[in-house]
């Protein structure tokens, strides 16, 4: 059976939850071989992942906490978490383990032919490749991140610094992109997707997992105010946008969803300047597969059907 491995920083922005939920509800077509977490705080994110798996009766899936913020890999010494009492139905027990466990789980997934989908910082992938040089070149790798083309008119006019997965750990991102054959799902396309308030009623009817998404979406809407800040400002987005679906889009493309998707092979030069990573098209660059176009509304509806029509 087709295998995938998810590397995630679930527990902050709720699109990681939306991505994992989609994979769990879509999993008749593939095997979720393992999940590793990065930007950790002593297993807190891994604990959240284990809780979500429990809601779907999937405690058979292996989970390992990876690189921790205390180890100095990240731009920030602390990465904040939303209030647990508002985002989760009950207190969640952390799931700590040695970093080596995550590296070994990733390595085993690659050796078993799993597609690797990274929807958080690329630290775990970098550490594995440093320990086992060349292993990333063997991987079928999809990375949520990149800023090659500017964001289209009608969508938030964000700059390169908003490319979180890459910019929060520049050294790891540079190593991974230069030492693998990835497909990049960049910010310029993921910003055209939306988790909408219109979806919440259907989500509340979609079992405990759908109810958890709805709960977190309501809390996130209060905290981020995207309907006011973004929905009323940018004509390319729905007015009831709660969040972007960066990570679910990356997962869907990795699994072969291509409705309205365009992918190009571009020669990219990867350069670090003043502490920020820049990717630019240059004839001397390495060829990298890059998603350059998405039909955002079509994907948004596709994601919802995967959650509610199980």
């Amino acid at each position: 059976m087709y295998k995938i491995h998810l590397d995630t920083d679930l527990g902050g922005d709720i699109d990681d939850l939306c991505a994992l939920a989609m994979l769990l509800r879509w999993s008749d077509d593939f095997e979720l071989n393992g999940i590793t977490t990065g930007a950790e705080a002593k297993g807190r994110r891994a604990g959240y992942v284990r809780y979500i798996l429990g809601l779907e009766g999937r405690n058979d899936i292996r989970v390992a906490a990876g690189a921790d913020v205390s180890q100095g890999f990240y731009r920030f010494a602390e990465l904040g978490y939303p209030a647990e009492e508002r985002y989760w139905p009950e207190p969640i027990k952390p799931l700590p383990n040695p970093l080596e466990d995550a590296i070994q789980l990733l390595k085993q997934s690659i050796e078993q032919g799993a597609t690797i989908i990274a929807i958080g910082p690329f630290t775990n992938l970098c550490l594995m490749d440093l320990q086992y040089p060349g292993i990333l070149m063997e991987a079928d790798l999809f990375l949520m991140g990149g800023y090659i083309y500017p964001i289209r008119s009608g969508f938030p006019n964000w700059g390169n610094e908003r490319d979180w997965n890459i910019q929060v750990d520049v050294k790891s991102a540079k190593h991974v992109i230069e030492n693998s054959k990835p497909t990049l799902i960049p910010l310029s396309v993921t910003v055209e997707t939306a988790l909408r308030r219109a979806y919440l009623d259907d989500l509340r009817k979609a079992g405990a997992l759908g109810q958890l998404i709805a709960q977190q979406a309501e809390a996130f809407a209060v905290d981020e105010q995207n309907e006011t800040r973004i929905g009323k400002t940018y004509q390319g987005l729905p007015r009831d946008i709660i969040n972007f679906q960066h990570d679910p889009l990356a997962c869907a493309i990795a699994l072969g969803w291509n409705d309205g998707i365009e992918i190009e092979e571009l020669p990219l030069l990867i350069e670090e300047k003043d502490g920020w990573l820049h990717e630019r098209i240059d004839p001397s660059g390495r060829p990298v597969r890059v998603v350059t176009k998405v039909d955002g509304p079509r994907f948004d509806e596709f994601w919802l059907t995967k959650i509610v029509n199980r």
Side-chain angles (χ1 to χ4, degrees), residues 265-278:
E265 191 170 86
L266 302 174
L268 294 187
L269 273 182
I270 313 298
E271 301 173 305
E272 184 179 347
K273 296 179 182 179
D274 300 322
W276 301 92
L277 202 65
H278 299 264

Side-chain angles (χ1 to χ4, degrees), residues 87-142:
Y87 278 71
W88 299 91
E90 58 187 280
I92 310 297
K93 183 179 179 180
L95 192 68
N97 55 256
L99 171 58
E100 183 64 18
D101 291 359
I103 292 174
Q104 291 302 319
L105 182 52
L106 266 168
K107 177 176 179 285
Q108 291 165 17
S109 288
I110 292 174
E111 291 172 343
Q112 293 170 16
T115 293
I116 309 299
I117 312 172
I119 59 173
F122 307 153
T123 319
N124 292 331
L125 297 173
C126 177
L127 293 173
M128 176 188 62
D129 196 65
L130 291 174
Q131 186 169 329
Y132 299 98
I135 192 170
L136 280 179
M137 281 294 183
E138 304 172 13
D140 184 20
L141 183 60
F142 289 78

Side-chain angles (χ1 to χ4, degrees), residues 34-55:
I35 302 173
T36 44
T37 56
E40 264 288 3
K42 298 180 175 61
R44 187 170 180 179
R45 298 187 195 277
Y48 290 149
V49 169
R50 177 57 69 200
Y51 179 84
I52 293 162
L53 295 178
L55 294 180

Side-chain angles (χ1 to χ4, degrees), residues 235-251:
Q235 62 183 9
L237 293 170
R239 293 177 67 87
D240 64 343
I241 180 173
I242 291 176
N243 193 28
F244 299 95
Q245 294 282 49
H246 309 287
D247 296 341
L249 177 65
C251 291

Side-chain angles (χ1 to χ4, degrees), residues 187-225:
L187 186 67
S188 53
V189 296
T190 63
V191 79
E192 298 190 15
T193 63
L195 172 64
R196 302 180 56 185
R197 183 171 292 277
Y199 299 159
L200 297 190
D201 285 345
D202 285 337
L203 288 169
R204 292 188 186 99
K205 301 171 187 174
L209 183 55
Q211 291 161 20
L212 177 61
I213 297 171
Q215 175 183 340
Q216 293 202 2
E218 290 276 19
F220 195 86
V222 172
D223 292 346
E224 298 296 322
Q225 296 290 312

Side-chain angles (χ1 to χ4, degrees), residues 71-72 178 233 242 261 299 301 308:
Q71 296 169 305
E178 290 182 337
T233 305
I242 291 176
I261 297 294
F299 173 73
E301 293 293 334
V308 303

